[in-house]
Amino acid sequence: MDRLVNYAEKLDTAARESTATPQITPVDTAFTVAEAYQVQKLSVDRRLARGERRIGVKMGLTSRAKMLQVGVEEVAWGRLTDAMLVEEGSALSRARYVHPRVEPEVAFLMKAPLAGKVTAAAALAAVEAIAPAMEIIDSRYENFKFALEDVIADNTSSSGLVIGSWHDPRIDFSNLGVILEIDGEVVQVGSTAAILGHPIRSLVAAARLVAEAGEQINAGDIVMAGGITAAPNLAPGQTVRTTVQDLGAVMFQVEA
Ligand code: 0L1
Ligand code: MG
């Protein structure tokens, strides 16, 4: 079997069965970023073949802290499907994941397609609305450990998304305060400026990266702009809430 197809199948199975799988790069030292994106597509295509629907893209490694942690200077992207949507205010099952964490984010809803090299103004003009959001990240690798190529192949750890109320994007969202609370206790504080200095830069990067893969951002797509703070672990019994200044709050609960 082609080695990339084999990796895609292993990652897809790990996600479906909520079991960790070994990293690729320690064994396949020649595995490249370009091949990793091919594996990501092959793996997500398996989900689409099972009936899931593509709903947009996520940007990852968008904060300086995360880039330094992984030792890269470039953002990464992943694909979102409808099965990853967690209804705002609902309870998600911890058992569906390997070792889930949560990231406070903001999400864009697109009203026009976007692809290639675009200006920040063009990107903003294609946005219908902006919302407070959270991403559930859940590396399929053992101990949540990976190299850049591994995590790209694993759809940049993306496992779920929770979206709050959509707002008019014609506000200044460059530096909005963000609070992540677990069980009413503030566990992370940040600013939307942590996303590449301004979240619109994440959308500009998304347009460029999806075009490099021969794809585009479509009208109606959701684009998750990227993590704003460190990502705490999720455990059964928790109530998790993110509040973004001027955009309001978004929450979910964790059950066993
Ligand atoms: O969305 C993100 O920034 C996560 C990217 C992958 C790294 C991780 O799993 O922490
Ligand atoms: Mg994220």
Side-chain angles (χ1 to χ4, degrees), residues 58-61 66 103 135 137 144 146 151 156-157:
K58 65 142 292 182
M59 295 298 288
L61 306 173
K66 279 232 163 182
E103 292 186 329
E135 184 183 21
I137 54 169
F144 225 112
F146 42 73
V151 74
T156 55
S157 302

Side-chain angles (χ1 to χ4, degrees), residues 84-93 97 102-105 131-136 160-166 178-185 224 234 237-244 247-255:
M84 297 161 73
L85 277 168
V86 175
E87 189 181 333
E88 201 283 324
S90 71
L92 61 78
S93 166
Y97 304 89
V102 62
E103 292 186 329
E105 304 210 3
M134 288 185 272
E135 184 183 21
I136 317 300
L161 64 152
V162 191
I163 309 281
S165 301
W166 292 111
V178 176
I179 292 172
L180 174 64
E181 291 167 277
I182 296 184
D183 297 334
E185 184 187 335
M224 295 289 282
L234 292 177
Q238 289 172 334
T239 297
V240 184
R241 178 188 307 271
T242 286
T243 306
V244 180
L247 298 182
V250 54
M251 65 83 65
F252 64 92
Q253 291 176 315
V254 186
E255 60 184 23

Side-chain angles (χ1 to χ4, degrees), residues 58-63 66 69-70 76-77 101 103 105 135-140 144 146 148 151-152 154-158 224-229 231:
K58 65 142 292 182
M59 295 298 288
L61 306 173
T62 48
S63 74
K66 279 232 163 182
Q69 189 183 15
V70 184
W77 69 286
R101 299 178 180 176
E103 292 186 329
E105 304 210 3
E135 184 183 21
I136 317 300
I137 54 169
D138 186 30
S139 176
R140 266 57 64 156
F144 225 112
F146 42 73
L148 178 65
V151 74
I152 288 171
D154 184 25
N155 202 22
T156 55
S157 302
S158 199
M224 295 289 282
I228 290 165
T229 70

